[in-house]
Amino acid sequence: MGAIAAGIAMFGAAIGGGIGDGIVISKMLEGMVRQPELSGQLRTNMFIGVGLVEAMPIISFVVALMVMNK
């Protein structure tokens, strides 16, 4: 039962991370098109945002491992 719960948790985290990354990157590209002079600052903020979005699947992976080994 723990393996099923871990799989469901990882599935949700992977889907959420993918959608979040797509939204962050698309909005950054929209901002670069509208104001090319801010592209460096937007790119930096995008990397910070992607890092924060990707933290959730990593945390979910660790929790899934803990649930499986319980």
Side-chain angles (χ1 to χ4, degrees):
M1 207 57 159
I4 294 172
I8 292 171
M10 281 306 304
F11 172 75
I15 295 295
I19 291 171
D21 283 344
I23 291 172
V24 167
I25 293 171
S26 71
K27 295 300 179 181
M28 188 272 306
L29 290 174
E30 285 179 19
M32 283 179 73
V33 168
R34 291 181 184 190
Q35 294 183 339
E37 65 274 2
L38 292 177
S39 64
Q41 184 179 2
L42 289 172
R43 189 175 300 118
T44 302
N45 289 341
M46 187 251 337
F47 284 130
I48 292 170
V50 167
L52 292 173
V53 169
E54 285 297 320
M56 191 60 208
I58 293 169
I59 293 170
S60 177
F61 176 69
V62 172
V63 170
L65 288 177
M66 290 171 49
V67 166
M68 283 180 50
N69 292 329
K70 187 173 184 183

